[in-house]
Amino acid sequence: MLEVLSQAPAGLPPRELAAVLKIPQAAAERTVQGLIDGGFLFRASDGAVRLSVKLAALGLAYLGTSGITDLVQPILDDLAKRTGELVRLAVVESDHLTWVAKSQSAQSGLFYVPHTEPEVYLAATANGQAWLATLDEAKIRAVVEKQGLDRPDLGPNAPRTIEQLLEQIALTHELGYACVTEAYEVGTSAMATAIRKRGVGHPVGTISVAGPTIRMTRDRMAEVAPWLRASANELGAAAASSPLFSLN
């Protein structure tokens, strides 16, 4: 319910929430009232319920104590400044990736504004493919099947079958980083690599650089790759002292 409302800033009436979540309206009303009592929602005069700022405040407080501000953000800012593009960080949570931080260079005249959904779509994003490349094929098939492979609103180069995705992952192994061009969105390209604590062990997250395809060419990605890897290594060192990277 909170995830649905995060995409509806004007709020939704409980009956619409019930329909979206496929639950009885009475159950939706009870849940709404519990969240209102907890201070996470409020009911507007037109009957729609909206997220309160309490949820955002809790999220910011958690990120502040997790090391984002002091440990992680400067690394993202430095890479954004070097590349002139959007840098994003995602962390591994069980069988999926969640976006947690970003930095946008102020040098770019043309900006890439990403979607706001919290969970990374694995099959068609550089972050998703970078993480999938650290898994065995059975695990890849399991997590991708759970999330779904074929979305209607993806770019023309998005993998539509598991075989096409595995080809992309093979390229990730060959290059040492994942790269996508007009896969998740038309007109955008991105590259990403996995973050490992102190460079070893299982991945705890991914870091990416993304921008308009006109700038983020394959040659440009090859130039950026050493900076991307260096930032991933820095984040891997920071991961040892941040609870943010202990979610998986």
Side-chain angles (χ1 to χ4, degrees), residues 83-86 104-113 212 214-215:
T83 61
E85 304 294 353
L86 174 71
Q104 175 76 67
S105 170
Q107 300 173 6
S108 303
L110 181 61
F111 289 95
Y112 165 47
V113 181
I214 193 172
R215 287 199 305 261

Side-chain angles (χ1 to χ4, degrees), residues 1 10 12 19 24 56 67 69 82 113 115 121 147 154 178 184 200 203 211 241:
M1 186 173 287
L12 292 171
T69 304
R82 284 173 175 265
V113 181
H115 290 296
Y121 180 64
Q147 190 182 52
L154 297 174
Y184 188 61
V200 297
S241 57

Side-chain angles (χ1 to χ4, degrees), residues 88-90 97 99 120-122 124-132 178 180 190-194 205-209:
R88 301 183 80 187
L89 171 71
L97 285 173
W99 298 115
V120 179
Y121 180 64
L122 301 175
T125 62
N127 290 75
Q129 292 184 12
W131 178 55
L132 291 174
V180 297
M191 61 188 300
T193 192
T206 57
I207 181 174
S208 64
V209 179

Side-chain angles (χ1 to χ4, degrees), residues 95-153:
D95 59 357
H96 64 276
L97 285 173
T98 300
W99 298 115
V100 294
K102 67 180 179 179
S103 181
Q104 175 76 67
S105 170
Q107 300 173 6
S108 303
L110 181 61
F111 289 95
Y112 165 47
V113 181
H115 290 296
T116 57
E117 58 184 344
E119 186 173 322
V120 179
Y121 180 64
L122 301 175
T125 62
N127 290 75
Q129 292 184 12
W131 178 55
L132 291 174
T134 68
L135 309 177
D136 60 41
E137 185 174 329
K139 181 67 172 178
I140 292 171
R141 290 178 179 273
V143 297
V144 170
E145 181 179 354
K146 180 179 179 181
Q147 190 182 52
L149 181 61
D150 191 8
R151 290 188 179 183
D153 56 345

Side-chain angles (χ1 to χ4, degrees), residues 66 71-72 195-199 204 233-246:
S66 69
L71 297 174
V72 174
I195 300 165
R196 301 175 186 271
K197 287 187 178 181
R198 301 195 184 280
V204 293
N233 289 335
E234 287 186 70
L235 289 167
S241 57
S242 172
L244 181 69
F245 295 97
S246 301

